[in-house]
């Protein structure tokens, strides 16, 4: 399990179905019960589990890393691909023996799969007692009571407002250096392959005051880096609350005083000059020049953009309802490279979308060849129930072809990652120390502003230091170097 946690930290943008058990140290003696939380999928789920830990801890629960000690077991689920769901159903089976030994144990499913499957979860997986969608975690204490009294405990109501702005997340899974801070929930983009708009609802943004307050408290605790999170951060828009789609009905004053993502970034960068700031994810269609300019102006905004393109073929992009063309995407990359020449750029690609042919696949490979991404996450198309693609398009690319195209894409990415890595050799770069290296306790592991992992001898440096490291060598995923001194940059 620790291993899985490391994978998550190393690949912080991946919907990888990662399991991480969550540990919360006892901070007071009030706890009377124990809960175990396991999280899968995207960063937002891991961030939500910290909100859940906070809600539970206010209700006398201590969070334990051992499911066998817990009277409440919660699984925060992912629906993004069929494989992720299958993995969770299999994992639920593992808890059968615990429930057989102690029928009082309650098992809850949280997150996107809970929202998608709803009440049917109780019939399909007899072990499940509680089903809670992503916007209903505040109802958990009530649902737990219901389950104890054998009353159906399901809440999958989606909200029109930012739901958890007033909750101070408890930093579980944390190195106490880097934290996630949610700024938007839901997504209005309706990419035809994607289940997220159905499981996480319409897009809404969080009050900037509550975002700033959360970052203040992180800074006070010694955190050095934060990642602003949202399915679609670039479309952040605060106009006093409410759904993004209702902005057109806002008053003139609300419109005049509204805060877009570039303004939020500037505000955070100026208020917290000693904090490294990251953000994810950016849909290319929503990324503005203003955001790139703000990134360029503030050293503490990390020079890395995760910019999923999904496909290099205009025909497929249209069918995916991605509202940019290959040419517009390339123009955006050119703009980024012009304004921030050393910017790290990563991607997500889906291969084998319905009707994708060899020419479309070649278009994807040639776009990769043009950009030469630092890294990326590559997936075979998985049909998701309820999405427009599942209703309109036949999943007609065979598994063999999907697999072959995926291998070609992964191989090309590996080649590009290696080229990017090698370009750092000989340079001295600032690294934020995060944790022990996986391979040696004598070495630290940290990341550069471009999000590249660097490993080096510890010397006298400690976790949380910004260190200048001279890069000597690399593997396809890690830079190897010598620490020189404390860094003046961040
Ligand atoms: N909001 C992000 C993506 C969130 S989902 C964006 O703007 O693109 C994360 C990634 O999972 C997506 O970028 C996509 O590459 C992949 N994904 C989503 N639905 C998928 C599906 N049905 N099959 C395969 N991969 C999928
Ligand atoms: Fe999904 Fe597209 Fe939104 S990939 S999360 S619908 S931007």
């Amino acid at each position: 399990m620790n291993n899985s946690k490391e994978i998550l930290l190393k690949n912080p943008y991946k919907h990888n179905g990662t399991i991480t058990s969550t540990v919360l140290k006892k901070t007071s003696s009030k706890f009377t019960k124990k809960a175990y939380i396991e999280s899968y999928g995207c960063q937002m789920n891991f961030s939500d589990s910290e909100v859940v830990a906070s809600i539970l801890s206010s209700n006398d629960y201590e969070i334990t890393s051992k499911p066998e000690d817990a009277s409440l077991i919660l699984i925060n689920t992912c629906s993004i691909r069929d494989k992720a769901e299958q993995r969770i159903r299999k994992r639920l089976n593992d808890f059968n023996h615990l429930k057989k030994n102690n029928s009082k144990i309650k098992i809850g499913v949280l997150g996107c799969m809970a929202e998608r499957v709803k009440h049917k979860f109780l019939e399909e997986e007899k072990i499940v007692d509680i089903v809670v969608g992503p916007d209903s975690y505040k109802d958990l204490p009530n649902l737990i009571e219901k389950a104890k009294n054998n009353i159906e405990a399901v809440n999958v109501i989606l909200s029109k407002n930012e739901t958890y702005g007033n909750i101070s997340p408890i930093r579980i899974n944390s190195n106490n250096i880097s934290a996630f801070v949610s700024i938007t929930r839901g997504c209005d983009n309706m990419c035809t392959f994607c289940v997220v708009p159905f499981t996480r609802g319409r897009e809404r943004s969080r009050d900037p005051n509550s975002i700033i307050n959360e970052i203040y408290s992180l800074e006070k605790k010694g955190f050095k880096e934060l990642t602003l999170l949202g399915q679609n951060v670039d479309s952040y828009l605060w106009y006093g609350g409410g759904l993004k789609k209702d902005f057109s009905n806002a008053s003139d004053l609300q419109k005049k005083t509204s805060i877009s993502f570039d303004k939020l970034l500037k505000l955070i960068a100026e208020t917290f000059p000693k904090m490294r700031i990251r953000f994810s994810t950016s849909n290319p269609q929503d990324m503005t020049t203003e955001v790139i300019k703000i990134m360029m102006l503030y050293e503490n905004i990390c020079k890395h953009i995760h910019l999923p393109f999904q496909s290099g073929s205009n025909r497929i992009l249209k069918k995916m309802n991605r509202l940019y063309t290959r040419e517009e995407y390339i123009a955006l990359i050119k703009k980024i490279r012009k304004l921030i020449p050393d910017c790290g750029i990563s991607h997500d690609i889906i291969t084998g979308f319905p009707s994708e042919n060899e020419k479309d696949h070649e278009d994807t490979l040639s776009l990769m060849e043009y950009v030469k991404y630092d890294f990326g996450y590559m997936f075979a198309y998985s049909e998701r129930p309820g999405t427009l693609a599942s209703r309109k398009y036949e999943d007609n690319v065979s598994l063999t072809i999907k697999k072959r195209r995926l291998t070609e894409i992964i191989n090309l990415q590996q080649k590009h990652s290696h080229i990017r890595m090698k370009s750092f050799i000989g340079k001295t770069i600032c690294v934020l120390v995060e944790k022990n290296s996986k391979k040696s306790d004598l070495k630290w592991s940290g990341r550069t502003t471009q999000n590249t992992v660097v490993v080096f001898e510890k010397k006298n440096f400690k976790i949380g230091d910004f260190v200048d490291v001279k890069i000597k060598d690399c593997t396809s995923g890690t830079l190897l170097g010598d620490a020189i001194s404390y860094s003046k940059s961040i």
Side-chain angles (χ1 to χ4, degrees):
M1 275 199 199
N2 285 339
N3 196 24
S4 305
K5 183 172 165 183
E6 301 226 333
I7 292 169
L8 178 88
L9 290 171
K10 192 175 168 213
N11 298 333
Y13 296 101
K14 196 174 174 188
H15 279 81
N16 56 5
T18 302
I19 308 171
T20 305
S21 65
T22 52
V23 191
L24 169 62
K25 287 197 184 70
K26 200 168 177 169
T27 51
S28 82
S29 56
K30 66 180 178 156
F31 300 130
T32 53
K33 300 162 278 188
K34 286 187 180 177
Y36 169 82
I37 312 175
E38 204 168 275
S39 308
Y40 291 78
C42 65
Q43 292 164 309
M44 190 65 107
N45 256 10
F46 283 77
S47 171
D48 281 357
S49 288
E50 299 185 332
V51 167
V52 170
S54 175
I55 293 168
L56 291 179
S57 119
S58 308
N59 283 273
D60 299 347
Y61 276 94
E62 179 184 2
I63 308 294
T64 171
S65 60
K66 295 184 186 143
E68 59 277 15
D69 290 349
S71 60
L72 176 68
I73 293 176
L74 298 178
I75 312 292
N76 199 348
T77 63
C78 173
S79 271
I80 201 82
R81 283 169 290 277
D82 185 52
K83 247 195 203 156
E85 290 203 354
Q86 293 312 324
R87 190 170 178 197
I88 285 154
R89 289 189 190 270
K90 232 166 115 198
R91 180 64 180 142
L92 282 168
N93 277 334
D94 296 343
F95 298 115
N96 269 327
H97 70 283
L98 292 179
K99 212 157 177 186
K100 257 185 207 142
N101 293 342
N102 179 0
S103 62
K104 284 198 177 143
I105 291 179
K106 296 296 167 204
I107 298 194
V109 284
L110 278 52
C112 287
M113 202 177 164
E115 190 65 46
R116 197 186 74 68
V117 182
K118 301 188 170 52
H119 294 77
K120 274 195 298 182
F121 231 128
L122 297 177
E123 296 153 33
E124 291 173 6
E125 305 291 342
K126 294 283 179 247
I127 193 172
V128 172
D129 304 290
I130 303 166
V131 180
V132 206
D135 285 351
S136 307
Y137 299 144
K138 282 183 180 164
D139 195 28
L140 257 171
N142 171 43
L143 293 167
I144 295 165
E145 277 315 303
K146 277 188 171 174
K148 281 182 187 163
N149 294 311
N150 293 320
I151 302 169
E152 191 179 81
V154 180
N155 188 341
V156 287
I157 296 168
L158 289 170
S159 168
K160 287 189 174 173
N161 291 300
E162 214 301 324
T163 329
Y164 305 118
N166 59 348
I167 291 183
S168 175
I170 289 182
R171 304 293 165 182
I172 48 182
N173 303 313
S174 175
N175 57 1
N176 294 320
I177 296 300
S178 315
F180 296 137
V181 175
S182 294
I183 63 162
T184 68
R185 297 187 75 80
C187 185
D188 284 351
N189 277 344
M190 298 305 280
C191 302
T192 59
F193 52 79
C194 185
V195 78
V196 170
F198 302 94
T199 59
R200 288 190 168 266
R202 304 307 299 255
E203 199 173 298
R204 56 234 119 102
S205 297
R206 178 176 173 190
D207 185 339
N209 287 314
S210 107
I211 298 173
I212 296 287
N213 283 340
E214 185 174 337
I215 304 174
Y216 265 127
S217 92
L218 287 169
E219 193 179 50
K220 248 181 32 209
K221 288 177 191 145
F223 280 77
K224 298 284 167 63
E225 181 185 88
L226 57 100
T227 304
L228 303 173
L229 280 190
Q231 298 302 335
N232 192 18
V233 278
D234 294 75
S235 83
Y236 176 89
L237 184 64
W238 176 255
Y239 62 97
L243 295 177
K244 166 113 185 220
K245 74 174 179 59
D246 296 334
F247 179 63
S248 52
N249 303 329
S251 69
D252 286 348
L253 183 66
Q254 279 177 315
K255 283 185 182 155
K256 237 170 91 185
T257 54
S258 64
I259 297 188
S260 50
F261 184 55
D262 56 310
K263 289 190 183 140
L264 179 75
L265 256 186
K266 183 171 187 278
L267 177 70
I268 297 173
E270 284 179 355
T271 315
F272 303 100
K274 296 266 176 292
M275 275 272 200
R276 261 191 183 184
I277 300 155
R278 298 186 184 278
F279 57 88
S280 180
T281 299
S282 296
N283 185 318
Q285 70 209 39
D286 295 311
M287 179 149 221
T288 61
T289 310
E290 283 70 34
V291 167
I292 305 168
K293 284 190 177 155
I294 295 293
M295 287 181 76
M296 180 184 81
L297 288 176
Y298 292 90
E299 194 201 14
N300 57 332
I301 304 178
C302 288
K303 305 298 178 269
H304 168 234
I305 304 176
H306 186 59
L307 205 59
F309 74 95
Q310 316 298 2
S311 168
S313 151
N314 281 335
R315 193 179 72 82
I316 296 294
L317 285 172
K318 202 158 180 211
K319 287 188 129 182
M320 288 176 160
N321 194 33
R322 301 286 287 189
L323 302 182
Y324 51 88
T325 60
R326 173 192 175 90
E327 292 72 26
E328 284 163 343
Y329 185 88
I330 289 176
L332 181 59
I333 295 281
K334 278 188 180 155
K335 200 181 287 173
I336 295 168
R337 293 251 154 94
K338 188 168 165 220
L339 294 176
I340 316 172
D342 61 344
C343 194
I345 304 179
S346 54
H347 66 79
D348 290 346
I349 296 173
I350 298 177
T351 188
F353 186 81
S355 84
E356 184 191 72
N357 58 34
E358 289 306 316
K359 161 84 175 61
D360 299 317
H361 175 57
E362 288 301 324
D363 285 348
T364 295
L365 293 172
S366 70
L367 185 52
M368 291 176 76
E369 198 61 73
Y370 176 80
V371 182
K372 294 196 177 54
Y373 294 91
D374 293 71
F375 62 95
Y377 303 106
M378 297 145 279
F379 313 101
Y381 173 69
S382 165
E383 187 176 272
R384 308 311 295 130
T387 56
L388 194 109
S390 78
R391 285 181 274 127
K392 228 173 134 183
Y393 308 126
E394 191 191 339
D395 183 8
N396 58 0
V397 178
S398 75
L399 195 59
T400 320
I401 293 181
K402 278 182 188 167
K403 278 188 179 163
R404 195 253 303 151
R405 288 181 189 161
L406 187 60
T407 307
E408 286 174 15
I409 287 171
I410 290 172
N411 288 345
L412 187 59
Q413 183 51 53
Q414 259 177 0
K415 191 177 119 192
H416 292 158
S417 294
H418 212 178
I419 294 173
R420 290 275 169 216
M421 287 287 175
K422 280 203 273 196
S423 73
F424 286 106
I425 294 178
K427 292 187 178 155
T428 298
I429 34 186
C430 170
V431 178
L432 171 60
V433 182
E434 289 175 355
K435 57 182 175 172
N436 273 336
S437 143
K438 248 186 284 175
K439 291 195 179 141
S440 162
D441 282 352
L442 302 174
K443 291 184 178 173
W444 288 132
S445 168
R447 276 178 294 156
T448 66
T449 185
Q450 291 91 354
N451 211 28
T452 313
V453 175
V454 183
V455 167
F456 57 95
E457 296 271 347
K458 285 184 175 172
K459 298 189 179 164
N460 287 328
F461 299 104
K462 54 184 193 314
I463 290 181
D465 285 343
F466 289 101
V467 180
D468 279 335
V469 179
K470 175 137 183 148
I471 305 303
K472 295 274 164 81
D473 202 355
C474 69
T475 67
S476 64
T478 310
L479 295 173
L480 311 167
D482 283 340
I484 296 175
S485 58
Y486 290 105
S487 184
K488 289 200 179 75
S489 357
I490 79 169

